[in-house]
Amino acid sequence: MRDNKRENEAENSFISEMGSSDDNGYLTFTLGEEEYAIDILTVQEIRGYDAVTTIANMPDFIKGVVNLRGIIVPIVDMRIKFNLGDVTYNEMTVVIILNVANRVVGMVVDGVSDVISLNESQIKEAPEFGAILDTQYLKGLGVIDDRMLILIDIENLMTSKEMALVEALVE
Amino acid sequence: MSIDMQQFNAVFFEEVSEHLTNMESLLLDIDVDSPNLEDLNAIFRAAHSIKGGAGIFGFDDMTEVTHILETLLDKLRKEELLLTTEMIDAFLQAGDILAEQKAVHQEGGDTVDESKIKAVCLLLETLSADKITPTTTPETTTFSPHQADKNISFLTSMEEDITALLEELSQLGHLTQSMIVEGEFHKWQIFLTKTSASNEDLIDSISFLAEPESILIEDVITDPAQCFGLFEEADSQETDFGFFDEPDSEEQQGFGLFDDVEEKPVQTKESAFGLFSDEKITPKAVENTKEQDNDPRPYGFLDGREEKEVKNKKTLTVKRTANKASSTGETSIRVNTEKVDQLINQVGELVITQAMLMQISSELDPSEHDVLLNRLTQLERNTRDLQESVMSIRMMPISFVFGRFPRVVRDLSNKLNKKIELKMIGNETELDKGLVEKLADPLTHLIRNSIDHGIEMPEDRIANGKPETGTITLFAFYEGGNVVISISDDGAGLNREKIIEKALERGMELSDTISDSEVYQLIFSAGFSTAEKVTDVSGRGVGMDVVKRNIHSMGGQVDIHSEAGVGSTISIRLPLTLAILDGMSISVAGQIYIIPLTFISESLQPKAEDIKTINGKGKVVKVRGDYIPLLALHELFNIDTEVTQASDGILVLLENNNKKIALLVDQLEGQQQVVLKSLETNFHTVPCISGATIMGDGKVALILDIAGLVSESE
């Protein structure tokens, strides 16, 4: 059930190694061909996808709830939400457990790449995107070497009406 | 220095509640004719602690009431007055007023009725003014009031009228007074002779009018054998009220009340800080206190060790003023329930992990891995023990609720001129804290019902050949995973005919062959009452339905047994804890759902011909002549399952608020206890789902919200 523990620990040790004060740490993950990054401090842990209990009459991207050490955590599939990547579930499917706005939420992505640090100068303003992701959920674009990362304001996104995860905004 | 007073207030309120409960139970147990001095002292201490705390936190209304209460109690414990039943009644009333005042300060809302307070205060004052010549000669007791002469001086503002105070003081002893104007204050010099009032009493009386810091009382000791009692001395240090406001500048001034205190500023300073933490108790302070204690004390009611303990506590923490003379106060700690719940969660997780290990290990060859398997068995045992201990943290004895009933019975039986004895068995039965708190109202209601409707008037009882005094028995015990609480009376019992008559009057449809227990269940319907006249005790027909609803919401059940002329018994069956629910697990397309067992009346496999459609839309199922609306869970939840016909699956008959539905599920999986978890913590409410739980295999199962389902079917 918790084969991904090792992976999780590896991430944690990585986090503790980086530490320059000006830079912010980001966790990067992929959805289809695109590479995204979120603030590392919002990430609680990374685990595999299993034992999800479906909830009736929910939007299709809300996969259901899982038991995370005694607490009930909803799981959303970002691949379905943003229509990116192949929606398959196997041992390689990765769930990023986020801790945002005093809630714990699991987010399914195609894969977790690495933890990077970006300073202000490496973050460019985000251009208008179009329909997939409203710019209000974007912090900007991170440029590191020749990679381009889409920086998501994950707290804002997860508490948005669009994700249907928070009480007041349902219906 | 910023102090979050809110936090201290909360502690104060909690302690007030404790003191009041303590006081009430002592008062109810006390023997009026020969009161135990220790009990009187305990009551006095409780009142005194409340007063001290209320003074510090600025709840002046409470200080006022407790002060008057204390004055009378003080006279009692000094045996200047003899205890009477009226006094006990007055004390109980004062306790109620204090509880109300506390509630007002705690929760806000309407202030307590001024006239009520006045009435109680007046009553107490009249009682304490009744000077009687003690029938017990002072020689027979070691606690004779000691008399002393006192030199009192204090400042009051110009406007203050102190005639009332002087009058009060003159009752305490012979009075000579003088006044000089000092700046914008009046300086009063009062010489009080042959007073038995303690310094503390005096200060309390005076401090209502005078500047607290300016009060100075000197004892003119005429007899070397006389000295301060335990309480005066300790209390003298309580009077440094000023330290909250001006902790630095006022400190010394605050101490200047008594010479002996002034000499030990270190200790007093510690006593000031000790208000908020016991850790400040240092050996040095204890020693100082001890030295101070060397004088022979007239009060011999506590043995030396206890006395010292009480004194230490008193000097060091005003709020804990000797509320518990023995060490009981130190055997428990206050812990935030959140922490406990977290612990319970973590242990629950450990149990699941352990179960998984057991499962994996069962595939191993026992002969090769016998050491590992042994250890795993040991782990299982340890985990279970740990889980039990952790669960027991939330448990508290039911005596917390039962404790209030002697008072209820006493008050009500007096009011109704009935003679009733209350028996309580199983006080030590423990159940979840949340349940204990919620039980209070329903149980009070049931007891009031028993007193009002159950137990007959004494003359009727004698006529029926029963003992004059009726008996109400409260009985709590464990049965399986439940706690059963029963309230029995040996009264008239429920009147079957009268209930049926009333039910027909109200237009209820009853079958002719209705069974006794079905008849008795009728009294739980809203607005139902068979009482001929509405009294202020009961009879309005509100209540039994509320009782039933409350118990249901706790996951419990109510049963009635009754025999005309012999009595009735109402039993409440509750799960041991709120966090655990007895559930039936059912499955639809392989996914497990839990139905709370309390809602299930039966489950059955219907025949195809019993299913009928109405208007081509809704379906009903015929069960023993009744047509019950049918709700298919897979349709409601849009689940693809193989079982689409009711005759292929199982119908679970659910009942809520006297409405029935038949829920179609694929199959029943079994009955088990589940731990309730909230979906809302990280998600939001889901229609028809009341929560979730974690099953033995670590998966989440959803708990169905039956009330929601029933209304869905409409």
Side-chain angles (χ1 to χ4, degrees):
Chain A
M1 185 180 168
R2 285 177 198 138
D3 296 337
N4 56 308
K5 262 258 161 81
R6 265 171 283 115
E7 192 184 341
N8 189 9
E9 275 158 20
E11 292 289 350
N12 285 340
S13 63
F14 193 95
I15 294 163
S16 58
E17 277 164 24
M18 39 164 284
S20 109
S21 56
D22 290 347
D23 300 356
N24 286 320
Y26 289 88
L27 176 77
T28 68
F29 59 89
T30 54
L31 286 174
E33 299 294 305
E34 293 167 5
E35 215 174 347
Y36 291 83
I38 52 172
D39 185 351
I40 191 76
L41 297 177
T42 60
V43 179
Q44 179 178 317
E45 61 188 273
I46 297 164
R47 44 184 283 146
Y49 179 92
D50 67 346
V52 176
T53 301
T54 51
I55 298 176
N57 305 327
M58 287 289 137
D60 58 353
F61 61 87
I62 295 183
K63 297 309 294 177
V65 287
V66 295
N67 159 29
L68 182 73
R69 290 185 296 281
I71 59 170
I72 310 285
V73 175
I75 301 291
V76 291
D77 194 328
M78 302 302 269
R79 302 172 301 181
I80 302 176
K81 176 68 193 168
F82 296 125
N83 214 0
L84 294 164
D86 300 327
V87 183
T88 51
Y89 300 99
N90 53 36
E91 306 89 69
M92 301 302 291
T93 310
V94 176
V95 181
I96 303 175
I97 305 290
L98 301 166
N99 203 322
V100 286
N102 291 324
R103 284 159 176 267
V104 184
V105 176
M107 159 172 101
V108 184
V109 295
D110 270 345
V112 171
S113 328
D114 53 5
V115 177
I116 52 151
S117 60
L118 291 173
N119 57 40
E120 288 298 322
S121 65
Q122 288 170 292
I123 298 174
K124 312 277 180 247
E125 203 178 314
E128 284 298 322
F129 253 80
I132 289 180
L133 195 59
D134 196 294
T135 33
Q136 63 165 308
Y137 307 126
L138 291 183
K139 279 181 169 172
L141 295 178
V143 181
I144 184 163
D145 302 329
D146 52 356
R147 286 160 74 188
M148 189 204 72
L149 305 163
I150 305 164
L151 306 186
I152 304 180
D153 181 351
I154 196 73
E155 176 151 348
N156 206 347
L157 177 66
M158 284 299 167
T159 53
S160 70
K161 193 174 178 177
E162 222 170 302
M163 299 304 292
L165 284 168
V166 181
E167 186 86 55
L169 300 168
V170 178
E171 287 159 46
Chain B
M1 182 163 63
S2 76
I3 302 177
D4 180 8
M5 289 305 281
Q6 213 55 38
Q7 182 190 340
F8 298 121
N9 283 352
V11 176
F12 167 67
F13 291 141
E14 228 168 282
E15 293 198 352
V16 169
S17 307
E18 267 169 35
H19 289 313
L20 285 176
T21 323
N22 194 8
M23 218 167 90
E24 190 174 297
S25 64
L26 285 166
L27 280 169
L28 290 171
D29 283 344
I30 215 159
D31 181 359
V32 182
D33 300 322
S34 56
N36 184 335
L37 196 69
E38 197 147 329
D39 286 345
L40 285 176
N41 273 310
I43 298 168
F44 175 83
R45 282 196 299 268
H48 186 74
S49 305
I50 297 173
K51 188 175 87 167
I56 285 171
F57 291 97
F59 302 129
D60 297 335
D61 49 346
M62 293 177 77
T63 325
E64 212 167 316
V65 176
T66 30
H67 173 66
I68 298 166
L69 179 66
E70 203 186 54
T71 316
L72 180 51
L73 281 167
D74 196 37
K75 287 193 177 156
L76 284 174
R77 77 191 171 107
K78 287 179 182 160
E79 307 207 336
E80 286 169 33
L81 288 176
L82 288 181
L83 187 67
T84 62
T85 10
E86 293 89 67
M87 286 186 192
I88 292 185
D89 285 332
F91 289 149
L92 289 173
Q93 282 172 28
D96 290 346
I97 296 271
L98 284 171
E100 282 175 40
Q101 286 174 331
K102 187 212 91 179
V104 169
H105 288 304
Q106 195 170 14
E107 286 143 19
D110 297 339
T111 48
V112 185
D113 191 0
E114 209 43 55
S115 60
K116 236 162 78 187
I117 302 176
K118 284 236 174 70
V120 172
C121 291
L122 196 71
L123 179 61
L124 287 171
E125 271 167 347
T126 332
L127 286 170
S128 57
D130 287 345
K131 284 250 178 193
I132 53 144
T133 34
T135 46
T136 43
T137 48
E139 286 78 25
T140 60
T141 163
T142 44
F143 319 116
S144 67
H146 62 290
Q147 302 208 323
D149 297 349
K150 287 172 204 282
N151 216 340
I152 308 164
S153 77
F154 55 88
L155 294 176
T156 61
S157 62
M158 297 291 237
E159 309 79 49
E160 214 71 78
D161 180 3
I162 69 158
T163 349
L165 174 63
L166 292 176
E167 221 162 87
E168 193 183 334
L169 290 177
S170 67
Q171 282 178 6
L172 300 172
H174 185 73
L175 190 75
T176 37
Q177 86 253 25
S178 65
M179 186 265 281
I180 47 169
V181 178
E182 202 178 276
E184 45 185 346
F185 293 105
H186 284 148
K187 184 173 184 173
W188 293 87
Q189 283 286 357
I190 291 172
F191 190 62
L192 197 60
T193 52
K194 302 244 167 63
T195 178
S196 53
S198 61
N199 287 346
E200 161 225 332
D201 286 342
L202 293 170
I203 288 169
D204 280 326
S205 316
I206 299 164
S207 61
F208 282 115
L209 295 167
E211 307 299 316
E213 305 92 273
S214 69
I215 304 169
L216 190 74
I217 298 180
E218 279 166 16
D219 276 45
V220 184
I221 297 185
T222 46
D223 179 350
Q226 283 175 345
C227 66
F228 304 151
L230 175 59
F231 289 95
E232 288 97 306
E233 211 165 9
D235 289 333
S236 65
Q237 284 145 26
E238 273 177 44
T239 46
D240 44 353
F241 305 119
F243 75 92
F244 273 125
D245 313 319
E246 300 118 309
D248 297 314
S249 61
E250 288 298 310
E251 232 165 40
Q252 285 303 323
Q253 199 181 343
F255 299 148
L257 292 169
F258 295 91
D259 297 339
D260 57 349
V261 179
E262 208 166 22
E263 280 161 23
K264 299 178 183 78
V266 180
Q267 179 217 341
T268 322
K269 194 167 167 186
E270 270 165 2
S271 85
F273 291 126
L275 279 174
F276 300 117
S277 88
D278 289 349
E279 287 92 307
K280 297 281 179 189
I281 299 179
T282 63
K284 192 177 173 194
V286 174
E287 261 175 43
N288 282 344
T289 324
K290 205 176 160 193
E291 274 169 33
Q292 219 171 305
D293 268 1
N294 282 341
D295 309 333
R297 276 178 308 277
Y299 297 138
F301 53 85
L302 297 168
D303 71 55
R305 194 190 59 80
E306 272 183 324
E307 202 163 49
K308 201 173 103 203
E309 206 176 314
V310 171
K311 188 163 170 71
N312 287 346
K313 270 194 191 170
K314 252 186 104 80
T315 12
L316 292 160
T317 84
V318 175
K319 293 201 296 119
R320 290 203 176 269
T321 333
N323 54 348
K324 278 154 198 159
S326 60
S327 60
T328 48
E330 286 143 29
T331 56
S332 67
I333 50 164
R334 282 187 216 285
V335 182
N336 193 330
T337 41
E338 261 172 45
K339 282 189 187 169
V340 175
D341 290 344
Q342 191 184 3
L343 192 61
I344 290 174
N345 266 341
Q346 284 162 348
V347 171
E349 187 68 14
L350 181 67
V351 171
I352 292 170
T353 314
Q354 178 269 327
M356 282 183 228
L357 280 177
M358 282 305 272
Q359 205 179 348
I360 297 166
S361 72
S362 66
E363 288 157 21
L364 297 175
D365 181 358
S367 56
E368 271 180 61
H369 301 94
D370 64 327
V371 181
L372 175 68
L373 293 176
N374 266 333
R375 294 296 176 270
L376 280 173
T377 321
Q378 201 176 345
L379 175 70
E380 183 187 15
R381 211 167 31 237
N382 292 346
T383 337
R384 296 248 170 263
D385 288 351
L386 179 65
Q387 191 185 23
E388 249 172 59
S389 318
V390 166
M391 293 301 265
S392 74
I393 297 177
R394 269 192 71 94
M395 303 296 226
M396 61 198 270
I398 200 156
S399 55
F400 277 83
V401 205
F402 278 13
R404 68 171 66 189
F405 295 132
R407 174 78 192 278
V408 173
V409 172
R410 184 194 139 99
D411 285 1
L412 260 187
S413 54
N414 281 349
K415 199 168 180 178
L416 299 169
N417 294 321
K418 291 183 181 180
K419 288 193 176 169
I420 296 169
E421 186 193 349
L422 178 69
K423 280 188 192 161
M424 297 189 286
I425 307 166
N427 260 328
E428 66 291 342
T429 310
E430 287 189 327
L431 70 167
D432 192 273
K433 185 175 185 292
L435 287 176
V436 169
E437 283 158 4
K438 285 188 187 170
L439 259 180
D441 285 346
L443 281 183
T444 312
H445 191 90
L446 291 174
I447 287 189
R448 289 169 75 97
N449 261 354
S450 280
I451 299 169
D452 196 23
H453 302 310
I455 305 282
E456 314 92 324
M457 296 305 286
E459 47 269 36
D460 296 339
R461 292 184 64 89
I462 294 167
N464 288 331
K466 287 189 191 177
E468 187 185 4
T469 306
T471 310
I472 294 179
T473 313
L474 274 171
F475 191 15
F477 58 99
Y478 296 115
E479 200 180 77
N482 295 306
V483 174
V484 181
I485 301 152
S486 72
I487 301 117
S488 341
D489 61 60
D490 60 350
L494 291 170
N495 189 330
R496 183 190 153 104
E497 275 67 45
K498 214 155 145 191
I499 295 171
I500 292 178
E501 190 186 306
K502 279 274 172 180
L504 293 174
E505 236 172 71
R506 286 169 45 91
M508 291 182 178
E509 278 176 39
L510 304 176
S511 78
D512 295 338
T513 57
I514 185 163
S515 72
D516 278 356
S517 68
E518 279 172 296
V519 172
Y520 299 149
Q521 285 294 327
L522 288 174
I523 67 167
F524 288 117
S525 22
F528 200 93
S529 172
T530 58
E532 270 125 41
K533 61 175 185 205
V534 172
T535 64
D536 59 350
V537 180
S538 53
R540 287 181 200 283
V542 231
M544 286 307 266
D545 61 317
V546 180
V547 169
K548 191 174 181 181
R549 207 159 25 181
N550 284 352
I551 303 290
H552 262 227
S553 73
M554 288 184 247
Q557 284 161 294
V558 194
D559 282 320
I560 305 182
H561 295 280
S562 180
E563 207 172 315
V566 179
S568 32
T569 300
I570 295 176
S571 354
I572 296 171
R573 183 179 296 268
L574 286 173
L576 273 177
T577 133
L578 266 190
I580 290 182
L581 175 128
D582 260 317
M584 174 70 81
S585 46
I586 54 109
S587 67
V588 176
Q591 185 162 333
I592 307 280
Y593 294 90
I594 308 286
I595 302 177
L597 216 52
T598 43
F599 294 99
I600 301 181
S601 51
E602 62 182 303
S603 35
L604 52 101
Q605 203 157 16
K607 294 192 193 83
E609 62 265 28
D610 286 339
I611 313 290
K612 303 271 194 291
T613 49
I614 294 176
N615 287 340
K617 285 184 278 177
K619 282 182 184 162
V620 291
V621 59
K622 185 180 173 190
V623 181
R624 287 185 296 275
D626 284 340
Y627 287 96
I628 297 170
L630 191 149
L631 187 72
L633 198 60
H634 71 270
E635 280 175 19
L636 182 71
F637 284 177
N638 289 317
I639 307 168
D640 284 329
T641 176
E642 287 162 10
V643 184
T644 51
Q645 292 305 310
S647 47
D648 297 336
I650 298 277
L651 286 180
V652 183
L653 297 194
L654 305 172
E655 194 179 340
N656 182 48
N657 266 341
N658 292 325
K659 286 194 193 93
K660 282 187 181 177
I661 59 163
L663 188 72
L664 173 62
V665 301
D666 288 9
Q667 54 186 323
L668 300 181
E669 297 289 337
Q671 190 180 326
Q672 67 194 101
Q673 289 197 324
V674 297
V675 179
L676 268 174
K677 303 269 177 181
S678 159
L679 266 184
E680 284 104 85
T681 324
N682 295 312
F683 197 40
H684 52 70
T685 45
V686 179
C688 299
I689 301 290
S690 64
T693 187
I694 293 160
M695 306 296 282
D697 60 0
K699 282 195 181 173
V700 178
L702 300 174
I703 300 166
L704 298 179
D705 169 22
I706 304 307
L709 282 176
V710 171
S711 59
E712 192 71 32
S713 72
E714 283 168 356

